[in-house]
Amino acid sequence: MLAQTPQFGEYLTVLINLDLSLHSMEVVNKITASLELPPQFIHFYIRNCITNCTEISDKNTQHRFVRLVCVFLTALIRNRLVNVQEILIEIQVGKVNSSNYSFVKTIKLRYKN
């Protein structure tokens, strides 16, 4: 199994640095559901997703990817793989403007406590 090999760290590094796509998020979601991953991997991946979202110039594409990332974040929160407060910090650090994205605002309100 790959998770028990020395190359697993390299595999995770490649995943962190992949361009944002539905497929890359699906892969990471399946891996987080089946393996216990280092928390720093999940946070680096989240930060990469948020950064990628903020760098998309086409507003429609950006909106679509922000929604996908929010669904991904919600799954991580629901499965208790990340702390809600840490997600909120990542969103703030990533400068995702919650006034433009009602679903980001919803995550903030839903998990604020």
Side-chain angles (χ1 to χ4, degrees):
M1 175 178 233
L2 181 63
Q4 299 168 344
T5 66
Q7 293 84 12
F8 189 61
E10 293 173 32
Y11 179 73
L12 293 178
T13 301
V14 169
L15 284 175
I16 289 171
N17 294 313
L18 282 176
D19 287 337
L20 182 62
S21 72
L22 174 61
H23 299 296
S24 67
M25 283 190 284
E26 285 176 341
V27 168
V28 172
N29 190 41
K30 288 184 186 223
I31 291 172
T32 59
S34 61
L35 296 174
E36 188 171 330
L37 296 173
Q40 63 270 24
F41 164 78
I42 296 172
H43 290 286
F44 282 134
Y45 186 77
I46 291 168
R47 188 171 300 137
N48 185 48
C49 288
I50 292 170
T51 300
N52 274 271
C53 283
T54 61
E55 293 174 350
I56 297 172
S57 58
D58 178 67
K59 293 299 177 192
N60 290 328
T61 303
Q62 184 183 49
H63 184 76
R64 187 172 120 262
F65 275 107
V66 170
R67 274 194 322 209
L68 287 171
V69 170
C70 287
V71 170
F72 175 70
L73 295 177
T74 301
L76 292 176
I77 292 167
R78 186 180 31 227
N79 294 326
R80 301 177 196 267
L81 296 170
V82 293
N83 179 298
V84 175
Q85 294 305 316
E86 292 171 356
I87 293 291
L88 295 175
I89 290 168
E90 294 292 347
I91 289 171
Q92 290 170 349
V93 168
K95 296 179 178 74
V96 176
N97 186 345
S98 63
S99 64
N100 293 334
Y101 302 107
S102 60
F103 34 85
V104 174
K105 188 181 279 186
T106 300
I107 284 182
K108 285 183 176 182
L109 292 174
R110 184 181 209 188
Y111 299 108
K112 189 106 177 169
N113 303 326

